[in-house]
Amino acid sequence: MTTTFSHLLQSPFVESVSQSQVLKIPLEGTLSKRFIYVYLPPGYDDSTEHYPVLYMHDGQNCFESYVRDSFAGSWQADLVADKLILGQKGRPFIIVGVSHGSEERLAEYLPPYVAFRLPKPKNVKKKMPAIVGRADKTFTFYQEVRAFVKQHFRILDGRENTATCGSSMGGLFSTYIALEHPEFAKHHAALSSAYWTTNDGQGHLKIINRIKTLPKRDIRLWLDSGEGTSHIPGQDDDNKFVTMEAREALLESGYVEGVDFVYHLAEGALHTESAWAGRLDKVLAFLFPPNS
């Protein structure tokens, strides 16, 4: 499916380029059959150039071109990337949105060292069954996705040309990849990450412990949250406080703010696709700056 951006193509920085496009492709491997969504940047069809690649989680929600597939609106990643690239505020890149497995989403993004129990509904006496993390298997699928994308599209090899990005459980999954598989990608973005799901039952977060105990990784990490609330006591704070805990753990472990990672607090932002879309330009410019 081709998306038209005639107003952007009139940019003074652009003479004549082919329009961007987003392709929806079924894929099956280690995980159940699902779609990947591949964004090809403006000018892709005009050249033989190879491009860095960003793997985004919750692929159904990534692109406005396929907003009908989304759960609650899209990140508008195609619109945002076009604006950055055509305005020369970001390096041209390919985006691969990898779909989650619907009801399997929680387990797919949860680290394998975590067993998480959903809150027990009212009037239910028995404990909810533990959901054991399968992020290791999901990562294997991402390697299969990368092999497929490399075969069919012009992507640059190497971790320096590879990034991941996700929000909530997807932010946790990007952090897991950064810590456990730094050979896959150097650049990562973790928005409003659901680090709280890794609670060990004693008030400690296992993902934070991994940051503190693993050797310092050669990564670049965008770390953020909003600070808005639902105005209901005990409800959504957009994971602000666990994100601040992750920031402190990074500093304690020798990561340098402004070099190895950035921390961004989005004032008033809630835990929504529209909030993530609203700051995605900053995220993409961090992952693939124009002169990188």
Side-chain angles (χ1 to χ4, degrees):
M1 178 178 180
T2 300
T3 306
T4 300
F5 302 108
S6 58
H7 63 294
L8 293 175
L9 294 174
Q10 294 171 7
S11 164
F13 299 110
V14 179
E15 293 181 0
S16 178
V17 297
S18 59
Q19 296 176 5
S20 66
Q21 55 185 312
V22 181
L23 308 176
K24 181 179 178 180
I25 304 168
L27 196 63
E28 187 170 10
T30 298
L31 301 183
S32 59
K33 185 176 181 179
R34 63 197 60 201
F35 289 102
I36 63 172
Y37 301 78
V38 181
Y39 163 86
L40 302 176
Y44 182 89
D45 289 340
D46 300 327
S47 74
T48 58
E49 182 180 352
H50 287 63
Y51 297 85
V53 59
L54 166 62
Y55 296 91
M56 291 185 71
H57 320 313
D58 295 316
Q60 300 97 321
N61 300 336
C62 290
F63 301 108
E64 190 66 16
S65 300
Y66 287 97
V67 66
R68 63 183 178 274
D69 292 354
S70 68
F71 174 71
S74 86
W75 287 46
Q76 301 183 351
D78 42 0
L79 304 179
V80 176
D82 268 7
K83 190 172 182 179
L84 283 174
I85 293 167
L86 294 173
Q88 297 188 341
K89 295 179 180 178
R91 182 182 178 190
F93 51 89
I94 289 171
I95 305 175
V96 179
V98 183
S99 297
H100 60 70
S102 298
E103 67 276 1
E104 299 298 316
R105 177 179 182 267
L106 187 58
E108 287 180 356
Y109 291 158
L110 201 64
Y113 50 78
V114 174
F116 175 73
R117 293 183 189 275
L118 289 168
K120 188 170 62 173
K122 292 181 179 179
N123 303 320
V124 174
K125 294 183 179 180
K126 291 195 292 185
K127 281 186 176 181
M128 298 293 289
I131 299 172
V132 179
R134 300 201 303 266
D136 51 340
K137 293 182 175 58
T138 307
F139 175 71
T140 298
F141 181 67
Y142 271 59
Q143 292 176 303
E144 296 163 358
V145 170
R146 179 171 62 180
F148 174 87
V149 172
K150 182 178 179 181
Q151 179 181 359
H152 294 281
F153 302 98
R154 301 193 307 274
I155 67 170
L156 289 169
D157 280 330
R159 63 187 301 273
E160 296 81 4
N161 298 303
T162 309
T164 76
C165 176
S167 66
S168 195
M169 288 300 298
L172 172 61
F173 184 51
S174 268
T175 306
Y176 167 81
I177 295 174
L179 295 175
E180 308 293 342
H181 299 285
E183 76 285 352
F184 182 80
K186 180 171 183 176
H187 318 282
H188 304 272
L191 288 72
S192 310
S193 301
Y195 295 142
W196 58 272
T197 59
T198 70
N199 194 304
D200 65 359
Q202 305 299 317
H204 303 292
L205 304 182
K206 291 184 176 181
I207 190 70
I208 301 299
N209 186 58
R210 297 297 284 175
I211 294 173
K212 291 180 179 179
T213 58
L214 288 172
K216 182 176 179 289
R217 304 308 197 192
D218 175 26
I219 58 172
R220 295 176 66 249
L221 175 64
W222 171 281
L223 187 68
D224 84 11
S225 77
E227 64 172 359
T229 70
S230 64
H231 304 293
I232 300 174
Q235 292 287 318
D236 179 31
D237 64 8
D238 197 39
N239 297 323
K240 172 184 174 180
F241 298 108
V242 291
T243 301
M244 292 172 64
E245 192 173 342
R247 173 181 177 268
E248 292 303 318
L250 288 166
L251 292 171
E252 181 180 323
S253 301
Y255 293 89
V256 179
E257 190 165 4
V259 178
D260 303 310
F261 77 98
V262 298
Y263 169 74
H264 175 73
L265 182 62
E267 294 184 6
L270 293 171
H271 202 77
T272 63
E273 266 70 27
S274 60
W276 298 320
R279 58 186 187 265
L280 187 60
D281 58 340
K282 298 180 179 67
V283 175
L284 297 183
F286 167 83
L287 294 173
F288 296 122
N291 298 319
S292 62

